[in-house]
Each structure stands twice: as structure tokens, then as C-alpha cells.
Amino acid sequence: MSEAVVIDDVTKTFGSTTAVSALSLAVPRGSVYGFIGPNGSGKSTTLRMIMRIFHPDRGRSSVLGADATGAAASDRVGYLPEERGLYRKMKVYDLLKFYAELKSKRVTNAEIDRWLNRIDLAGVGPKPVEAMSKGMAQKVQFLTTVLHEPELLILDEPFSGLDPVNMEVLKDAILEQRKRGATIIFSTHDMDVAEKMCDFIFMIFKGKKVLDGTLASIQDRYGRDTIRVRVEGNGIAFDQLPGVERVNDFGQLQELRMTPGGDAQAVLAALVARSRVSHFEIAKPTLHDIFVRIAGPAAETAAGASAAGEVKHE
Amino acid sequence: MSKIWSVALREYRVNVRSKGFLVGVILMPVFMGGGIGLQALMEKRGDTSIKTVAVIDRTGELFDSLLEAAERRNKSEIFDSKTGKQKEPTYVLVKEEATAEDAAGRRLALSDKVRDGSLFAFVEIEPSVFEHMPGPTSTDAGISRRATKLNAGGDAVSGCDIRYYSNQNTYRDLPEWLHYTIAERVKAARFAKAGLDPNVVWGALAPVSIDRLGLITRAESGEIKEAEEANIASSFLIPFFVLMLMFMLLMVGTQPLIHGVLEEKMQRISEVLLGSMRPFELMMGKLVGHTIVAMTLLAIWGLGGFALLRYNDMTHLIELRLAGWFLFFLTIAVFMYGSLFLAAGSCCNDIKETQSLIMPVMFPMIIPMMMIPLLIRDPSGQIATFFSLFPLTAPMIMTMRLAMEVPVPWWQAPVALVSCVLMTMLCVWAAGRVFRVGLLMQGKPPKLADIMKWAIRG
């Protein structure tokens, strides 16, 4: 069994809304799998189905080889929900012990202290949860998912709301789990993090799968159609460039997307004619750009059709 | 199974350390002891106020003797015979002229005086008090008819001999004293008119006494024990106490469940828990934990109560059989009401919403409290029997009936138990399904129809 999670043609509806539609997915063991997609597109629902918190209306899934009908695998899975869930009045020691017991594992205060040290939280053990800052609580919440050394980690937006320092700490802790051999599935809105951390990226939009593969394979599908330029002067220079369908102006840097078959040299020539170019780079689109292309306002209008079309490309 | 235990233990620890539990531990003894103590205190202190009554005496003959009787009472009858301290109020009678004109206006004026507090009450005595003379046929019916009328206090203007007006009709001593005193005078007048010797008549009317006794029992040594005077403890206090005890245990044991679930839902803890265990296991853990909470409370009170009984040498009041039934019904009731509270809690998103759902679940626990007078008066009547077998009210009412002296037919307690067990299974099953859906539901609170749908379809 080389797959940690297999989802096969799964559909989940709530009342009249379809949260997830005919979704299939295979997560190889030992990989880091990133879930991206706009808010409300079905990420959390999919993760909850993997956790057996929701049961799909249709389709089959298996987690760590265990069939969907039982909760047998739950002790081998660690789960960090999108919205944090800690008992505010409980002491960190008691809380962590309780959560570990729910995974059929007993831990001592000394073990907990070792874990707390690793995530820069030494000494908070005897304190109640409500005495901690949001970032600290989030790290404690992360500990609840790894104390029992699970084979599969499911993290729903683990980095949201963390400052850069805490984010580093958490990122290292997650990668440490990967070194141990755990499979990690996490969702994020930070495309930069997804690009850097994930072996595979999976995008879901309006309940349907629109991207699934390695970053390179996804970028290859869009070709080298992106030009990054830096020019001296102001943005007026970018109007009506030949072969450019969209300009994304970051202020200091501009990203130009070429029309299919557009000629980068023609663009450069046109730019040089208008202004002094200090940087010109032909590149693959970033994940951010791909995300916006799929889910941005322009795509929104033709969403149904394009989403279906994208799946066919797979 | 071990996960159920983990949840149960956490629930137990949290709840036993909570303020609610502490308050519960202290509240019951304060309720019971305080109630009795307060009553004793009131008895001791007594009511020593001055109650002024205006008397409109239309007979023109009665006021003076009433005044004399009141003064005699104030001088000698209102003091404690041992301590000599006053324990009853002083009655002051004021004469109102008995003119016939504008009777309604005068009543209103006197009523206003009662309202502003310068009078306690006023009374009208009609000349008709002397009219009813005992004839050969009419005696009993006539007297009882009039007595009924007076007691009912109803018909204000027509028919009655004495009319007592007050805004404190719950205070019975004064009208009873007036009634009695006037009646004495009237009777004396009647005897005189009929040419009877009052002493002979009073002698003939000397009351016949009655003793209310319990039943004859056989002592352990074999000899037959005389019946004891029916004591208020076993016929009223113990059943009442058992019912209160059950009610308090259930309140402390089950009500926190709704808030516990709400906390888990609001803090999004439910999702973490459901990632580790099934909803049903979570619910079971909570119910087991709270059963132990109720048992702990019972043990604390039980030890205290036992010590108290031991001290007063009253341990014979404890019946092991009753204690057994009590534990059975307590456990079942925690599961039954507890599962309903859990289902209710899982449907709420904030404290406000729980308020409206607590009431319907509490209702079956409150019904028995409202039925106390009926249960005491007619413990084996149809209504009492029905509610002691009806599963939602059985835990409280059946235990109370079992604590009473009137025997419960042997089959009824087991039937009540079985009906409770079946109902509890239904509640736990349905609540489990609602719980599963409700826990992860955010936003708009579900309608009752939705909740029913979850319970049925799962």
C-alpha cells in the first residue's frame, strides 16, 4: 500500500448545496500534500471526510488502508482543525494528556515538556490555556496532533494568524514529522508556503478538483507564458503591449501574461521603445498567478465551464 | 471503551471542580435545613403585630361582647405559656356606625383604609345571624350551607351573615377567630331563645376525639408492635425529601451537560474530539462522567445525612430497598435527561439559544414538583400511578411513591424501571443522531422540524 489516503469519486452535499462533487485523490505515503482553493470551495469538507467526521453521500475513501466505514485508523491520524479547539480552563499538561488519551496514548509531563521545548513553549505546562496568546495556543494545538506520533497528519490552515517567527517554528516541526516518515496533508492560503513545502499541490474550486500534481507539472501545463519586468518610470508604459493579455502590477515589479503564442521578444522591443527596462525575465507562472487565473474574478463568470475543462486536461 | 473513560474522567474532574457543583453541595442542605430552621424561627418569633379591624355591627348587640373577647384574648391568650413572651398578634376592634345609607360607598372607604394600611380588615355582621333558629328538620343542612358560604367567602352582598373584607385573605387566624367568637355568642343567644340551659347543651356537644395512627407492625424480635401515632416524618417529610433529593441530583448532574457541549461547540473542540472518536462514544463518555458526578454528590450528602441521623438516633428511617431503587432511577434519569440536554446543547450556537431549549427538557423534571400536593394526598390514585409509570416522570415520582407509607403494588416499580430503560434507550439513540449532526452545525439554529429530521434520518 503506497497511498496514505485514497478518495474515489466522492460527493458530499449539505441540503441543497454540493460541497464536494465527484472528487478523486490519492496521497502517496511520506509526501507533503498541499490543499489550496478559495474560501468555501470544499477544502475543509474534504479534510473532514478524510477524518471521518463527515461521511460522503457517494463514493469511497480509504485512510491508511482502513475502509471508510470504521474509525479504526483514527488513532494513527493527527488532525488540526481550521478553527482551533482547546478547553480554555484546562491546564496545558492536562489538556495534552487528555487529547493523547483520545488517541490511545499515554504521555508523561516530562514527555510533554520535551515537546513544549521543541516549539519554544518551555514552562507553559502548568498554565491554563486561557492564559496563553493566540500564537501559543495554536502551537499547543499543533502538539495535540503530533503527540501520539501519527502516520498521517491533517492540518487545516496550520499557519493562519501566526507571526513569521512562530511560522518558522511550526514549519520546522511539521517537516520534522515528515522526516519521521509521516504523511502530511495541509491546506493553506499562502501560495508561497505551498510552493516551497509541498511535494504535491491539489486545488479545489467550487467543490471540484482543478489542479492535482507536482508544482512543476502544474506550471508546465501553463507553459512559460509569464514575463516579469522592472522598468524605470511609471505604469503607463504597460498599456496596449502587443501579445499581452493581462498585467499584474505589484508596484516595483510587473507580471505580464502573454496571449497563447505571444512573442516575448516583441514585448521586450515594445517595452524598450517606451521606457528603460532594468529587469526582464521569462518564467513559468507562479502558483499565486495560477490560483488567480482559476478562481479570480475573470474566471468566476465562466467558472463551471472552465473548472470542468481543467479536469479534462488531467 | 478507554476513550469513553477518558472523556468521562475529564467531564467528572471539570464538573466536580466547578462552582456549580460546590453550590449544589451547599444548596441542598441549606434548602432543607434552612427551610426547617426558618419555620422554627418564625414559630419562635411569632407575629406580634397589631391588627386593627373595623366592625360594622348591624345587629347592634354583638360589638360589645366581641370587644370584650378581644381584650381578654389580648390580655391572656397571645403569650407563650412558658416564656411569657408574646407570640400572636394583638387584635384591636374599632366600631363603625351601622347606618343603612350608602353601604357600597362605606365599603369602598373602608377598603381604601385597608389598602393604605390603617386597617387590617373590616367585617360586616348582618342581623340575619340571629334569624336562623334551629328547627326540628333544618339543623345540619342549614348550618353547613351557611358555613360553606362563609368559607368560600364568595357572594359579597347577599345571603351571608358575616362578611370579612381584607386584602390578606391568606391570613386565616383573624377571620377564624371572628367567626368562632361571633358563633359562640349567637349560639348562646339561640339557646336562651329556645329555653335551653347552655351548660347542658355544651356538655352534650362535647367533641369526640380521634387519633390518627400508623399500622401495627411485627418487631424483629417477633412481638407485635403497637401502632405509632402517624408521624409527619414518614408520611410527608421523607417522601418530600426523597423527591427534592432526586431533583437536585438531576439538576446538578444533567444541566451542566448543555453548557459543556456548547463550550465545545463554540470553542470548536467538538471537531477535534470527533477526529478521535465517534459522536456516540463522546456522548456516552459525557453521560457516564455526569452519572458519577451525581453519585459523588449523593455520597457527600448521604454521608452527611447519615451522620445527622446517627446523631439523632434515627437511622431506622433509612430503607435499603428504597436506596437501591433510588440509585437505579437516578442512573437512568441522568442518562435519559442528560442525553436530551446533550442533543439540545448540540443544536445551539450561543448561551441565549440554550435558554429556550433548557425549559422543554426541564419540564418533565418540574412536573413532579408541581404534583407534590396531589401525590401526598392520593399516592396510589390514577394520576399518581400514571405519572409514576410514564417514563419521563417515573424516576422522580416512582421513587417518591416508594418512599411513602402507602404500599406501591409490587409490579409497578419494575414496570416503571423497564419503561424508563426503554425510553432512555430511545432518547440516547435519537440524541446521538442529533448530536452527531448538531455538533458541527454552525450559524442559524435549526428548527424543531430539522432536529426531528436528524433524529429520524440520522
Side-chain angles (χ1 to χ4, degrees):
Chain A
M1 189 76 198
S2 61
E3 259 87 41
V5 175
V6 178
I7 293 177
D8 185 19
D9 196 24
V10 155
T11 298
K12 177 75 186 171
T13 56
F14 296 105
S16 57
T17 33
T18 304
V20 171
S21 167
L23 191 78
S24 296
L25 178 68
V27 180
R29 276 189 196 246
S31 64
V32 177
Y33 216 93
F35 269 41
I36 59 173
N39 294 324
S41 57
K43 291 193 301 289
S44 292
T45 305
T46 308
L47 294 179
R48 283 172 172 183
M49 281 196 286
I50 298 174
M51 280 313 297
R52 310 280 196 252
I53 292 171
F54 286 155
H55 294 277
D57 302 330
R58 203 160 59 79
R60 287 161 15 89
S61 70
S62 87
V63 175
L64 298 174
D67 195 67
T69 46
S74 83
D75 286 356
R76 296 189 281 148
V77 182
Y79 177 50
L80 181 84
E82 178 180 1
E83 292 178 85
R84 313 297 170 234
L86 298 174
Y87 291 100
R88 295 172 49 75
K89 305 263 177 212
M90 272 178 101
K91 294 190 178 110
V92 172
Y93 278 142
D94 295 340
L95 184 94
L96 289 174
K97 280 182 196 163
F98 174 62
Y99 280 169
E101 274 174 34
L102 294 185
K103 297 291 187 183
S104 310
K105 163 117 182 167
R106 301 204 171 271
V107 288
T108 60
N109 283 0
E111 284 174 86
I112 290 174
D113 280 336
R114 270 204 297 283
W115 279 104
L116 289 172
N117 275 333
R118 273 198 244 173
I119 54 165
D120 290 349
L121 282 182
V124 303
K127 286 189 189 156
V129 170
E130 59 189 352
M132 294 191 297
S133 72
K134 187 172 174 253
M136 290 160 87
Q138 199 161 333
K139 289 196 286 182
V140 167
Q141 179 92 43
F142 175 74
L143 272 199
T144 67
T145 66
V146 296
L147 268 182
H148 58 292
E149 308 198 313
E151 294 166 45
L152 172 63
L153 262 179
I154 295 172
L155 312 171
D156 203 349
E157 298 190 26
F159 301 113
S160 74
L162 285 183
D163 65 44
V165 176
N166 278 324
M167 198 170 151
E168 285 281 294
V169 172
L170 195 59
K171 184 203 75 191
D172 291 344
I174 292 173
L175 292 178
E176 202 178 308
Q177 292 297 311
R178 186 205 185 178
K179 260 183 228 151
R180 197 173 53 76
T183 308
I184 292 151
I185 300 176
F186 76 91
S187 70
T188 183
H189 284 307
D190 189 332
M191 296 304 124
D192 204 34
V193 165
E195 274 186 1
K196 285 176 188 156
M197 278 183 75
C198 298
D199 300 316
F200 299 94
I201 289 165
F202 171 91
M203 181 169 172
I204 184 168
F205 180 53
K206 300 205 166 176
K208 294 197 171 84
K209 177 159 86 174
V210 288
L211 293 178
D212 188 7
T214 60
L215 177 63
S217 77
I218 289 169
Q219 285 175 327
D220 283 347
R221 271 175 42 199
Y222 289 87
R224 298 174 72 87
D225 68 347
T226 300
I227 298 169
R228 287 194 197 108
V229 290
R230 213 187 283 271
V231 296
E232 291 167 14
N234 55 30
I236 297 164
F238 297 97
D239 288 345
Q240 311 270 326
L241 281 172
V244 171
E245 66 178 15
R246 189 169 174 275
V247 179
N248 194 359
D249 193 344
F250 289 95
Q252 300 300 315
L253 182 105
Q254 286 76 30
E255 248 179 39
L256 315 178
R257 191 198 304 163
M258 287 183 290
T259 50
D263 182 5
Q265 297 308 317
V267 175
L268 178 60
L271 277 172
V272 169
R274 296 183 187 187
S275 134
R276 288 185 65 83
V277 177
S278 61
H279 178 100
F280 188 90
E281 177 192 358
I282 303 172
K284 293 176 181 176
T286 58
L287 193 57
H288 181 103
D289 190 34
I290 294 172
F291 187 106
V292 174
R293 286 189 207 185
I294 295 173
E300 196 80 346
T301 44
S306 84
E310 297 284 358
V311 173
K312 273 183 200 145
H313 285 294
E314 293 294 312
Chain B
M1 194 60 207
S2 73
K3 291 184 186 179
I4 295 182
W5 261 119
S6 299
V7 173
L9 272 179
R10 198 203 77 86
E11 290 285 326
Y12 179 73
R13 286 199 199 112
V14 168
N15 277 283
V16 167
R17 284 179 201 155
S18 72
K19 286 188 201 95
F21 185 80
L22 251 176
V23 169
V25 167
I26 297 163
L27 211 61
M28 176 80 170
V30 166
F31 255 27
M32 301 304 280
I36 294 166
L38 202 68
Q39 219 160 13
L41 194 73
M42 292 301 279
E43 209 108 290
K44 230 181 196 171
R45 289 282 300 271
D47 174 6
T48 57
S49 61
I50 295 169
K51 300 200 187 301
T52 310
V53 190
V55 180
I56 305 174
D57 178 14
R58 297 219 165 81
T59 65
E61 299 169 31
L62 281 168
F63 184 78
D64 290 342
S65 62
L66 269 179
L67 191 64
E68 187 194 324
E71 274 164 7
R72 196 169 56 236
R73 178 182 170 282
N74 292 345
K75 246 180 232 157
S76 57
E77 291 170 20
I78 58 175
F79 301 100
D80 193 296
S81 56
K82 285 180 219 153
T83 59
K85 265 169 76 180
Q86 185 180 352
K87 57 172 189 171
E88 280 177 49
T90 311
Y91 296 157
V92 174
L93 304 189
V94 183
K95 188 168 185 175
E96 281 288 317
E97 280 314 313
T99 47
E101 65 224 42
D102 193 21
R106 283 184 65 199
R107 285 193 198 108
L108 178 64
L110 287 169
S111 294
D112 285 338
K113 280 189 173 179
V114 174
R115 268 188 278 271
D116 72 25
S118 56
L119 278 181
F120 182 79
F122 66 95
V123 65
E124 284 182 274
I125 307 167
E126 298 296 327
S128 65
V129 285
F130 288 117
E131 281 168 15
H132 304 284
M133 287 304 293
T137 52
S138 74
T139 49
D140 280 353
I143 289 166
S144 68
R145 178 180 57 80
R146 261 177 282 130
T148 322
K149 267 192 187 170
L150 185 81
N151 285 345
D155 195 10
V157 187
S158 67
C160 249
D161 302 325
I162 308 169
R163 285 194 297 276
Y164 173 83
Y165 298 87
S166 172
N167 53 1
Q168 284 186 42
N169 272 311
T170 46
Y171 183 75
R172 306 272 300 265
D173 290 1
L174 178 56
E176 272 166 18
W177 178 83
L178 281 167
H179 183 205
Y180 175 79
T181 313
I182 295 169
E184 288 294 289
R185 301 292 175 278
V186 171
K187 281 178 197 163
R190 286 174 187 167
F191 296 151
K193 214 168 181 178
L196 297 168
D197 179 349
N199 289 329
V200 173
V201 179
W202 286 131
L205 289 176
V208 179
S209 67
I210 176 171
D211 259 357
R212 287 192 287 170
L213 301 172
L215 294 179
I216 314 293
T217 52
R218 192 182 281 280
E220 276 168 38
S221 54
E223 71 208 67
I224 291 173
K225 264 173 53 179
E226 271 307 303
E228 287 171 23
E229 257 185 66
N231 68 10
I232 192 163
S234 52
S235 58
F236 173 74
L237 272 184
I238 291 180
F240 176 72
F241 176 76
V242 165
L243 186 69
M244 281 301 289
L245 185 65
M246 183 68 99
F247 179 73
M248 293 293 295
L249 288 172
L250 288 176
M251 289 295 290
V252 174
T254 60
Q255 226 206 331
L257 279 165
I258 198 170
H259 298 295
V261 172
L262 188 68
E263 189 208 351
E264 286 172 2
K265 207 178 153 179
M266 283 168 72
Q267 303 291 330
R268 308 291 195 268
I269 299 165
S270 313
E271 201 175 337
V272 183
L273 300 179
L274 293 186
S276 302
M277 62 200 308
R278 290 166 205 221
F280 194 74
E281 291 178 306
L282 176 59
M283 192 169 99
M284 276 303 165
K286 285 174 172 295
L287 291 174
V288 170
H290 283 257
T291 307
I292 314 177
V293 170
M295 295 288 175
T296 307
L297 191 55
L298 179 62
I300 295 173
W301 288 340
L303 284 176
F306 186 76
L308 205 67
L309 287 179
R310 187 81 184 268
Y311 182 74
N312 290 311
D313 211 12
M314 285 161 74
T315 43
H316 64 275
L317 286 177
I318 301 170
E319 266 182 76
L320 270 183
R321 200 181 66 96
L322 179 63
W325 280 115
F326 191 91
L327 284 181
F328 269 139
F329 278 116
L330 176 63
T331 310
I332 286 172
V334 171
F335 271 74
M336 185 163 67
Y337 301 131
S339 62
L340 295 179
F341 272 127
L342 282 176
S346 71
C347 295
C348 301
N349 293 310
D350 56 46
I351 300 265
K352 239 200 248 158
E353 287 169 29
T354 61
Q355 302 302 342
S356 56
L357 280 174
I358 285 180
M359 225 17 229
V361 182
M362 288 262 304
F363 197 58
M365 288 194 243
I366 293 170
I367 291 176
M369 304 300 282
M370 298 192 299
M371 285 178 62
I372 291 175
L374 183 121
L375 292 169
I376 300 269
R377 202 172 59 237
D378 189 11
S380 43
Q382 280 181 355
I383 296 176
T385 307
F386 172 78
F387 280 102
S388 65
L389 296 179
F390 180 65
L392 283 175
T393 47
M396 290 172 76
I397 297 186
M398 184 51 88
T399 10
M400 180 182 187
R401 282 186 62 203
L402 288 168
M404 296 175 102
E405 278 182 308
V406 182
V408 177
W410 67 270
W411 56 269
Q412 286 192 1
V415 165
L417 191 69
V418 170
S419 87
C420 280
V421 169
L422 291 178
M423 186 66 183
T424 303
M425 280 160 64
L426 180 72
C427 286
V428 168
W429 175 81
R433 297 165 76 103
V434 173
F435 190 64
R436 195 174 72 198
V437 184
L439 270 190
L440 295 171
M441 195 65 77
Q442 302 289 348
K444 212 174 70 184
K447 295 191 197 87
L448 193 66
D450 295 327
I451 298 175
M452 297 301 268
K453 208 165 73 189
W454 298 345
I456 294 163
R457 287 209 207 136

